[in-house]
Structure formats: C-alpha cells, structure tokens
Amino acid sequence: MNAQRKKIITSEINYWKQNKLLPEHYCDFLITLYTQGDHEQEISATEAVLSKKKRKFKVRAVLIQSLYILIAFALLGISLKLWTQFFDGQAILLVGFLIVNCLLWLLAGRLLKLLYFTISGGAGLVLIVIFIINTVI
C-alpha cells in the first residue's frame, strides 16, 4: 500500500477515534494494522476526508441560511415600501401585507424545515392578532 493511501486511511481512523464513531481500542487496532506497528508519525484527524467534507458542508449551509434570511427581509422591506408609496395611512392594507409576509415565512419554514422561519411566521401572526384585538377593544 502506498504512503498517500496509508496517510488517508490513518487520518480517517483518527477522525473516527476523536469523534467516537468507533471504540478507541478498535481505532488503535486499525491504526496499528495499517501502519504495521509504526505509528510514531501520528496523523491528525483534521486531515481526514470526512472532516473536510463536514467543514465545507457547514460553510455552504450557513451561506444558504443567510440567503434565505436576506430574501425574507428583502420581501418585508419591499412590502413596506409599497405600502408607504401607494397606500400610506391605510392600516388595514399594512396589516394585510404583514399577514402575507408572516404566512410566507410560515410556509417557507414548513417546506424548507427551517424552525426559525416557522417560529417567526407564527409569532408574527400572533402579534398581529393581538394588535387587531387591542385596536378593536
């Protein structure tokens, strides 16, 4: 087995050991087996392929989540801008725009399985209902 392949395998085993994917004594046995008892040159778990993929996935997930939030705020901003430009002073239409935004957030939270959108949409609808009840009474 070539040295590069041994390095990859031992780094993966160290990653498993560090993250407790296998019991420690299994990992020690596998490292001893693949390095043929000469594992003085310990390879860190950060060089593992799984570790690199996990890191790349986290960065991509954060970027996608940030994009979703940015789109939601942009839609809210556009709704409020439309209201101020064309319907200023008509509170019923403002409430309607806010309800539509909250329903879209709730729908996005359900479809995309994003808890923060579901909570935001639900909390927004509850606050709008409380506002309506307070203005009527």
Side-chain angles (χ1 to χ4, degrees):
M1 188 181 299
N2 65 19
Q4 180 65 23
R5 190 174 210 167
K6 281 184 185 180
K7 181 179 177 184
I8 291 171
I9 290 172
T10 54
S11 66
E12 289 297 322
I13 295 169
N14 282 326
Y15 176 79
W16 299 343
K17 183 177 179 181
Q18 179 182 354
N19 293 301
K20 302 203 183 336
L21 297 174
L22 279 177
E24 189 172 334
H25 60 280
Y26 287 178
C27 294
D28 292 339
F29 171 75
L30 289 172
I31 289 173
T32 304
L33 181 69
Y34 280 105
T35 59
Q36 298 166 346
D38 185 32
H39 56 83
E40 294 145 3
Q41 53 189 16
E42 286 276 331
I43 298 169
S44 70
T46 57
E47 296 177 16
V49 175
L50 287 176
S51 178
K52 290 177 185 175
K53 284 183 183 178
K54 197 174 187 182
R55 203 173 317 128
K56 186 183 289 186
F57 178 75
K58 284 182 182 179
V59 170
R60 185 179 301 158
V62 167
L63 290 175
I64 289 172
Q65 303 298 323
S66 300
L67 183 64
Y68 287 152
I69 293 169
L70 185 67
I71 290 171
F73 279 126
L75 184 63
L76 178 63
I78 291 170
S79 298
L80 294 175
K81 185 67 175 175
L82 284 173
W83 178 75
T84 57
Q85 287 292 318
F86 300 110
F87 309 109
D88 198 19
Q90 297 180 8
I92 297 294
L93 288 175
L94 175 62
V95 170
F97 278 135
L98 293 176
I99 288 173
V100 169
N101 273 288
C102 289
L103 288 174
L104 286 174
W105 290 355
L106 198 59
L107 180 68
R110 288 294 191 182
L111 291 178
L112 299 173
K113 295 180 176 63
L114 298 172
L115 184 62
Y116 56 87
F117 270 129
T118 306
I119 291 172
S120 299
L125 287 173
V126 167
L127 289 174
I128 291 170
V129 168
I130 291 171
F131 172 76
I132 291 172
I133 290 172
N134 281 339
T135 56
V136 170
I137 295 177

